[in-house]
């Protein structure tokens, strides 16, 4: 049987493109190798020092975060503490919970894991029944609700489990992905590929607010004054 000329031409074009791509990659690797070969001891020492400085800076940043309560999932006693917590940290996840709501226990389990993994973000919880002012101002009507606070402003909310596959059995990776969608953590995965088993009915319409704030400004410990 004769080969279709169009198919044959397409194959040749594809082969040429693959060869060109391979050639470009090889040239880039050769350039990097040549660059390394041309480095003298002073250059290599300079590169080493820069890496050490970067590591030292990263370690100092981590220690600063830990001193502010990052790295652990913990409960704060009052609304006043909430204002102080969000002032101290650039990224905060606050779980508004209620003791009688069993789904809050599910959230607790996942947040405890993520708090240790994502030290760059502060993870806290606040009893909704002890924080009527915040619940009213943030329109929190469903428990559990996660308030995602960036630079002192409420950037987003995760209300119930709708954004998590609408199931009690969602994974820690699913919640991690959802937090990554709001840029509240440093997410290394693919945001376009949610870690669900099935997502036929799931879209990308989150319960997201346009940088909602209390009274349209940054949180302040005096915000409850009229």
């Amino acid at each position: 049987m004769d080969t279709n000329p169009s198919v044959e031409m397409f194959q040749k074009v594809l082969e040429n493109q693959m060869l060109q791509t391979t050639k470009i990659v090889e040239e880039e690797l050769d350039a990097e190798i040549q660059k390394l070969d041309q480095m003298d001891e002073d250059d290599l020492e300079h590169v080493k020092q820069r890496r050490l400085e970067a590591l030292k800076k990263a370690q100092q940043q981590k220690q600063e975060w830990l001193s502010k309560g990052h790295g652990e999932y913990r409960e704060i006693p009052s609304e006043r503490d909430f204002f102080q917590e969000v002032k101290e940290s650039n990224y905060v996840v606050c779980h508004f919970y209620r003791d009688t709501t069993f789904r809050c226990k599910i959230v607790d389990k996942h947040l405890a894991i993520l708090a240790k993994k994502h030290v760059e973000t502060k993870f806290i919880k606040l009893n909704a029944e002890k924080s009527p002012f915040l619940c009213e101002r943030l329109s929190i009507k469903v428990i559990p609700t996660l308030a995602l606070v960036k630079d002192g402003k409420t950037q987003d909310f995760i209300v119930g489990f709708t954004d998590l596959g609408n199931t009690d059995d969602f994974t820690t990776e699913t919640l991690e992905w959802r937090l990554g969608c709001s840029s509240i953590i440093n997410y290394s995965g693919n945001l376009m590929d949610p870690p669900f088993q099935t997502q036929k009915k799931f879209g990308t319409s989150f319960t997201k607010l346009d940088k909602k704030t209390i009274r349209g400004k940054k949180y302040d410990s005096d915000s409850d004054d009229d």
Side-chain angles (χ1 to χ4, degrees):
M1 183 179 291
D2 295 334
T3 304
N4 189 318
S6 298
V7 174
E8 192 173 89
M9 182 177 67
F10 175 77
Q11 289 176 339
K12 288 182 178 180
V13 171
L14 185 60
E15 288 174 1
N16 286 334
Q17 288 179 340
M18 292 179 65
L19 286 172
Q20 290 176 4
T21 301
T22 302
K23 184 179 180 181
I24 291 172
V25 172
E26 289 178 349
E27 289 176 350
E28 291 177 347
L29 286 173
D30 289 341
E32 288 297 323
I33 293 173
Q34 185 178 5
K35 184 178 178 181
L36 289 172
D37 288 340
Q38 292 175 349
M39 282 186 173
D40 56 24
E41 291 186 5
D42 289 339
D43 292 329
L44 291 173
E45 184 63 26
H46 181 64
V47 171
K48 180 180 178 181
Q49 287 300 321
R50 288 179 59 185
R51 289 180 177 175
L52 288 174
E53 288 174 4
L55 289 172
K56 184 178 179 181
K57 185 176 181 180
Q59 186 61 28
Q60 289 175 341
Q61 177 65 81
K62 182 178 180 180
Q63 290 302 318
E64 181 182 347
W65 283 330
L66 292 176
S67 70
K68 294 179 179 179
H70 292 227
E72 61 177 339
Y73 176 51
R74 56 194 171 81
E75 181 168 2
I76 57 175
S78 69
E79 293 175 318
R80 187 172 295 277
D81 293 284
F82 172 85
F83 295 125
Q84 184 61 37
E85 296 284 356
V86 299
K87 279 183 179 180
E88 290 179 349
S89 303
N90 294 328
Y91 301 97
V92 179
V93 175
C94 183
H95 173 203
F96 285 86
Y97 80 98
R98 189 165 51 222
D99 286 325
T100 55
T101 304
F102 82 93
R103 286 188 173 91
C104 292
K105 303 298 182 183
I106 299 175
V107 175
D108 286 340
K109 176 185 69 174
H110 295 299
L111 291 183
I113 296 172
L114 292 175
K116 295 179 180 179
K117 182 177 181 179
H118 291 280
V119 185
E120 73 277 5
T121 301
K122 178 182 289 183
F123 290 82
I124 55 178
K125 60 187 293 188
L126 180 60
N127 191 325
E129 294 177 337
K130 296 180 180 179
S131 50
F133 167 77
L134 278 172
C135 289
E136 179 182 355
R137 290 304 177 92
L138 297 178
S139 299
I140 294 175
K141 302 182 184 301
V142 176
I143 299 297
T145 287
L146 301 183
L148 313 183
V149 186
K150 182 178 180 180
D151 296 328
K153 297 181 180 179
T154 307
Q155 176 176 304
D156 199 357
F157 292 103
I158 301 177
V159 181
F161 294 170
T162 303
D163 292 350
L164 305 172
N166 210 20
T167 174
D168 292 349
D169 298 324
F170 67 88
T171 63
T172 302
E173 290 74 22
T174 296
L175 178 54
E176 182 180 30
W177 165 82
R178 178 61 182 85
L179 294 173
C181 288
S182 296
S183 300
I184 207 71
I185 59 172
N186 294 333
Y187 186 69
S188 59
N190 183 3
L191 291 175
M192 300 303 294
D193 185 20
F196 301 144
Q197 294 298 321
T198 58
Q199 48 180 330
K200 293 180 180 179
K201 297 182 180 180
F202 186 78
T204 55
S205 57
F206 305 138
T207 51
K208 187 170 184 177
L209 300 186
D210 185 15
K211 295 184 179 180
K212 177 180 175 65
T213 65
I214 293 181
R215 299 190 141 183
K217 59 184 179 181
K218 287 192 175 183
Y219 290 124
D220 188 89
S221 57
D222 297 324
S223 291
D224 53 348
D225 293 337
D226 292 330

